[in-house]
Amino acid sequence: MQSQRRARGMRLIDLTDVQLGSSETARRINRDIVLELIRAKQPISRADLSRQSGLQRSTISQIVEQLIGEKWVCEGAVASPPRGRHPTLIELNDDLVVIAVDIHPKEATVAVVDLKGRLLSRSIVPLSSDPAASVRQMTDCMLRMKQDLPRKSIEGIGISLPGRVDPSAQRMIFAPNLRWPDFDLKKVIEKTMGLPVKMENAATACLLSELTFRRIDGIRDIVLVTVSEGVGTGIYANGQLIFGNRGMAGEFGHVSLDPAGIRCSCGRRGCWETFASCRAGLRYYRELRPKATAISFHELLNLAEDGDRYAAEALTKQALYIGRGLQLIIAALSPSVILVAGDITSAWHRFGPAIEKEAAKFTLGGAFPQILPIHEGEIARLRGAAALVFQRLSAHEQQMETNQGLTPSENGQVVG
Ligand SMILES: [Zn+2]
């Protein structure tokens, strides 16, 4: 029948990174699907893995043995069905952990995160303008954590950064708020720790955390905006993380809204982040109360919560500018969901509506995106840094994989 005939024609294939699918690729994809199923459905029996993946029992057994050997999963409780055999259930291995680092201009948080996204320990390390001394502080902290958890197997180190990372060179190429000259962070940490290091922009890491641990199923167009010392964005479009040439995609924070505006850390004037970052919120407060003592952004939020009308006014202005910048994002990418991370989300009930109202002024057609706060954004950045390692590949490498000739079939699996 006409309606059942498959569409004929050519498929658009990106030939830049094309590689013909091999049985090795197929095995790797099947392994990843089984690992993802275990993550989502654990604890789960081999029989259920077979049923849910559509793979044969023998293939599942081989893959599970491989994953046990690699320490990703372990055999846990024994199921007790009403009748029949009592299968051993498979679950993620709690002893496999990652050291996650979230770098801000003045401090870094170092944490140990397990495969379920739980933080087992966490410390804050002060940073200075000297990258070598700062990295030594971080690695000293990592070594202490490693000593404190002798039974855990550390898979690697994931780092979330306030800047962009060149995906192929794995070096920071744009981090105006960090002010570290060209410094090979990855090489120095790998040498000291003897562990592989993966790095990614904080907003993209945060988005990866939401995709990995929160399981935002079925949504293929998401933009995540981090509002802290600067404003960063991570983009998930058509079901893929977007990096752009040399990893520079998503720098909406440095699009100028006012060429005569104040100087930005990137050297230009009037960038979105000079209006919408936490530093902007504090500046608005100082303009309203020039004689007030210097305060932190947390203190500004507390003042607003305690009824200080100047603090509320400053934060409302910051919220308005966050919303105005979101108009750019909606125009460029038409996401179905925009996630906002950063301290301002702790007062979302007060400032979220101002953000939404301003963003909604840009409505051309179609459905307006949902704008949602991510509470505990700091934890999301750490989990995202961990997810970089747990996924074995940097997000960019994943994109390269999806561009390969072999693509999962409609129900998500490849038979090799
Ligand atoms: Zn800028």
Side-chain angles (χ1 to χ4, degrees):
M1 270 168 36
Q2 185 72 22
S3 60
Q4 287 176 340
R5 195 151 18 126
R6 275 184 76 93
R8 289 161 65 98
M10 290 174 73
R11 187 179 149 187
L12 187 64
I13 299 282
D14 177 359
L15 291 177
T16 322
D17 302 311
V18 78
Q19 248 180 49
L20 283 180
S22 63
S23 58
E24 174 58 32
T25 317
R27 264 196 297 277
R28 202 171 65 240
I29 293 174
N30 283 342
R31 169 203 175 279
D32 292 350
I33 291 168
V34 172
L35 183 54
E36 195 50 39
L37 264 177
I38 296 170
R39 184 206 295 282
K41 307 281 166 91
Q42 66 174 333
I44 184 169
S45 68
R46 288 172 176 80
D48 282 337
L49 280 171
S50 171
R51 262 191 293 279
Q52 296 196 23
S53 65
L55 291 166
Q56 300 214 351
R57 275 295 297 268
S58 57
T59 310
I60 289 289
S61 290
Q62 276 172 15
I63 293 173
V64 167
E65 285 317 303
Q66 183 192 349
L67 291 172
I68 289 174
E70 292 169 354
K71 297 192 182 163
W72 288 100
V73 304
C74 56
E75 293 189 302
V78 175
S80 35
R83 58 185 171 276
R85 293 177 54 197
H86 293 228
T88 310
L89 300 177
I90 308 298
E91 58 187 19
L92 293 178
N93 179 7
D94 280 345
D95 287 333
L96 193 76
V97 296
V98 157
I99 295 177
V101 185
D102 179 28
I103 297 182
H104 285 262
K106 289 186 181 149
E107 62 183 33
T109 306
V110 182
V112 175
V113 182
D114 73 10
L115 264 175
K116 291 170 186 159
R118 294 177 301 202
L119 271 60
L120 307 184
S121 63
R122 181 159 46 150
S123 328
I124 291 181
V125 176
L127 301 181
S128 67
S129 55
D130 175 358
S134 298
V135 168
R136 203 157 43 244
Q137 294 260 34
M138 286 193 265
T139 49
D140 284 351
C141 178
M142 291 178 204
L143 289 167
R144 279 195 303 276
M145 284 182 170
K146 197 173 163 184
Q147 262 178 0
D148 291 345
L149 297 165
R151 289 187 54 247
K152 302 288 179 188
S153 169
I154 301 175
E155 186 65 18
I157 299 165
I159 303 178
S160 115
L161 288 162
R164 296 287 161 185
V165 178
D166 183 326
S168 48
Q170 278 285 295
R171 286 184 76 134
M172 257 188 302
I173 53 168
F174 177 71
N177 291 319
L178 200 52
R179 293 172 199 274
W180 282 354
D182 194 23
F183 182 80
D184 197 341
L185 200 65
K186 176 181 161 78
K187 192 170 153 195
V188 174
I189 297 178
E190 282 185 339
K191 194 167 166 221
T192 310
M193 298 300 298
L195 289 165
V197 169
K198 299 279 185 194
M199 308 196 296
E200 190 47 81
N201 169 265
T204 306
C206 209
L207 180 52
L208 193 58
S209 162
E210 294 298 299
L211 293 167
T212 307
F213 296 111
R214 276 231 324 216
R215 308 201 52 75
I216 309 175
D217 284 331
I219 302 177
R220 292 170 58 81
D221 294 280
I222 307 170
V223 175
L224 186 141
V225 180
T226 52
V227 179
S228 55
E229 293 84 359
V231 174
T233 60
I235 304 167
Y236 187 65
N238 293 347
Q240 281 197 9
L241 287 167
I242 302 299
F243 299 92
N245 188 25
R246 297 197 69 202
M248 284 296 293
E251 284 302 329
F252 290 98
H254 294 285
V255 173
S256 177
L257 301 186
D258 177 7
I262 67 161
R263 177 85 61 192
C264 177
S265 56
C266 73
R268 275 169 287 269
R269 285 189 178 275
C271 294
W272 178 30
E273 79 170 37
T274 67
F275 290 100
S277 65
C278 296
R279 286 198 292 212
L282 288 168
R283 191 178 72 241
Y284 299 142
Y285 182 67
R286 277 199 308 278
E287 285 165 4
L288 292 165
R289 296 205 58 204
K291 290 188 181 144
T293 49
I295 54 169
S296 69
F297 192 73
H298 270 288
E299 288 166 327
L300 182 65
L301 284 166
N302 288 339
L303 280 176
E305 207 56 19
D306 291 344
D308 181 314
R309 73 184 170 92
Y310 298 108
E313 198 177 319
L315 288 165
T316 303
K317 189 170 176 184
Q318 183 191 351
L320 179 135
Y321 276 108
I322 294 172
R324 195 160 296 175
L326 295 186
Q327 295 180 9
L328 288 173
I329 292 173
I330 296 164
L333 296 159
S334 185
S336 45
V337 174
I338 295 176
L339 300 171
V340 179
D343 291 334
I344 200 163
T345 60
S346 66
W348 192 258
H349 59 290
R350 296 187 63 163
F351 305 110
I355 294 175
E356 286 180 33
K357 191 174 163 206
E358 187 64 21
K361 288 184 182 166
F362 186 90
T363 307
L364 293 178
F368 188 73
Q370 266 187 293
I371 301 175
L372 303 169
I374 292 182
H375 297 297
E376 301 188 315
E378 297 297 309
I379 292 176
R381 284 157 81 131
L382 286 167
R383 283 182 176 152
L388 291 172
V389 179
F390 286 139
Q391 307 222 345
R392 273 179 312 125
L393 305 168
S394 74
H396 173 73
E397 287 168 290
Q398 285 187 22
Q399 188 183 24
M400 303 276 274
E401 269 211 343
T402 56
N403 282 344
Q404 286 177 357
L406 199 150
T407 318
S409 66
E410 275 149 45
N411 59 354
Q413 38 158 301
V414 175
V415 180

